[in-house]
Amino acid sequence: MSEHLLDELRQRLDDINLQLLELLNKRAALVKELGEVKKKSGVKKFDPVREKEMLDRLVQQNQGPFDDQTIRYLFKQIFKASLQLQVDDHKKALLV
Amino acid sequence: MSEHLLDELRQRLDDINLQLLELLNKRAALVKELGEVKKKSGVKKFDPVREKEMLDRLVQQNQGPFDDQTIRYLFKQIFKASLQLQVDDHKKALLV
């Protein structure tokens, strides 16, 4: 019985993992697009005020079970990885 | 024009952030549930083989723009935070 339940919960976890993967990459593509628009408009890519606002908004909306500190930490990792993507694009552009 | 486009892209980013927040917490709740079932069945909470399988599957499905290394890194952070949630629950139970 509980073996069956374990399998079912694991299957649901795998589904959520794939949804997260899709959403993370959707976010990454959007950040790349934003980077392009910012470049054309002469707006700086990294905006610490805007990043802080995003984090504050997420913590405000956080209903758990993850605590606010963990949400901040995880999103900071996501933001950093996304920004790195813009830097990589810039490097590639310089090499062309 | 591009200021308007920037706003629109930022709005879409905020939407994705909230969807990610929701999905991360949905995952966290599921991991807590899994932890309970594992405890009752005497199954160990941390299963490095299963974690490796999940990561491999995610990388297999990864279509970018995030590269495989980044996907592995981000999901490892998510896995670690989720496991911590089970440890915290266990500590709380010991304190009751």
Side-chain angles (χ1 to χ4, degrees):
Chain A
M1 172 57 196
S2 71
E3 192 55 42
H4 177 73
L5 183 56
L6 259 180
D7 283 347
E8 193 197 305
L9 292 175
R10 280 176 174 152
Q11 181 58 52
R12 275 166 58 195
L13 200 62
D14 285 340
D15 288 347
I16 292 186
N17 284 345
L18 284 182
Q19 287 176 50
L20 272 172
L21 174 69
E22 206 175 309
L23 211 49
L24 283 170
N25 274 324
K26 204 170 151 186
R27 191 186 189 283
L30 193 57
V31 168
K32 283 183 79 160
E33 204 182 331
L34 247 168
E36 287 302 311
V37 177
K38 280 185 177 177
K39 204 168 116 185
K40 278 178 200 157
S41 329
V43 178
K44 263 192 283 184
K45 273 178 188 170
F46 178 56
D47 181 348
V49 176
R50 161 104 178 126
E51 182 167 313
K52 191 187 172 303
E53 276 171 9
M54 285 198 290
L55 286 173
D56 289 347
R57 203 170 310 138
L58 285 163
V59 164
Q60 255 175 15
Q61 303 273 340
N62 181 32
Q63 303 195 326
F66 276 139
D67 60 25
D68 293 350
Q69 202 187 345
T70 305
I71 289 299
R72 267 185 203 278
Y73 174 77
L74 289 177
F75 272 93
K76 271 189 191 172
Q77 304 306 308
I78 296 169
F79 292 173
K80 220 196 292 180
S82 307
L83 205 67
Q84 191 57 43
L85 217 57
Q86 292 184 342
V87 175
D88 290 348
D89 272 1
H90 181 63
K91 271 193 202 148
K92 272 179 210 149
L94 285 178
L95 288 171
V96 170
Chain B
M1 172 59 198
S2 71
E3 192 56 40
H4 176 74
L5 182 57
L6 259 179
D7 284 346
E8 193 197 305
L9 292 175
R10 280 176 173 150
Q11 181 58 52
R12 275 167 57 194
L13 200 61
D14 285 339
D15 289 347
I16 292 185
N17 284 344
L18 285 181
Q19 287 176 50
L20 273 172
L21 173 69
E22 207 175 309
L23 210 49
L24 284 170
N25 274 324
K26 204 169 151 187
R27 190 185 190 284
L30 193 58
V31 168
K32 283 183 80 160
E33 204 182 331
L34 247 169
E36 287 304 310
V37 177
K38 281 184 176 177
K39 205 167 116 186
K40 280 178 197 155
S41 331
V43 177
K44 263 192 284 185
K45 274 179 187 168
F46 178 58
D47 181 348
V49 176
R50 160 98 179 130
E51 182 167 313
K52 192 188 171 303
E53 275 171 10
M54 284 200 290
L55 286 173
D56 288 349
R57 202 170 311 138
L58 284 163
V59 164
Q60 254 176 15
Q61 302 275 338
N62 180 33
Q63 303 194 327
F66 276 139
D67 60 26
D68 294 349
Q69 201 188 344
T70 305
I71 289 300
R72 267 185 202 278
Y73 174 77
L74 289 177
F75 272 93
K76 272 190 190 172
Q77 304 306 308
I78 295 169
F79 293 173
K80 221 197 290 180
S82 308
L83 205 67
Q84 191 57 44
L85 217 56
Q86 293 183 342
V87 176
D88 291 347
D89 273 0
H90 181 62
K91 271 193 201 148
K92 271 179 212 151
L94 285 179
L95 289 172
V96 171

